[in-house]
Amino acid sequence: SKVTDKGLPSLSGLKLRSLFLDESQVKDEGLLSLNSQTELTMLSVRGLGLSPQALADFSAAVPKCRVLK
């Protein structure tokens, strides 16, 4: 998809419960911008190649979110 790191901060005002970013152009920096999405219960990031550290940081910030890799 055409979702990139640059576009993710625009989601900050929304209370999302699930987000599918599969096969998008989101990188570690973009994932970190989602740390404020505390209502997320499911995030799919298949095919993104995110670093283990970025995934761990996100999981620590949003602990009730299940991350699908």
Side-chain angles (χ1 to χ4, degrees), residues 12-26:
S12 65
L14 304 175
K15 291 186 178 184
L16 302 173
R17 292 184 184 250
S18 60
L19 183 60
F20 293 84
L21 296 174
D22 302 342
E23 305 296 329
S24 68
Q25 297 175 19
V26 172

Side-chain angles (χ1 to χ4, degrees), residues 12-56:
S12 65
L14 304 175
K15 291 186 178 184
L16 302 173
R17 292 184 184 250
S18 60
L19 183 60
F20 293 84
L21 296 174
D22 302 342
E23 305 296 329
S24 68
Q25 297 175 19
V26 172
K27 305 292 182 217
D28 290 355
E29 183 180 328
L31 181 63
L32 295 177
S33 74
L34 295 175
N35 285 355
S36 63
Q37 290 289 336
T38 57
E39 299 297 319
L40 268 178
T41 57
M42 195 282 302
L43 175 66
S44 185
V45 294
R46 292 181 175 126
L48 298 190
L50 298 169
S51 73
Q53 186 62 53
L55 291 166

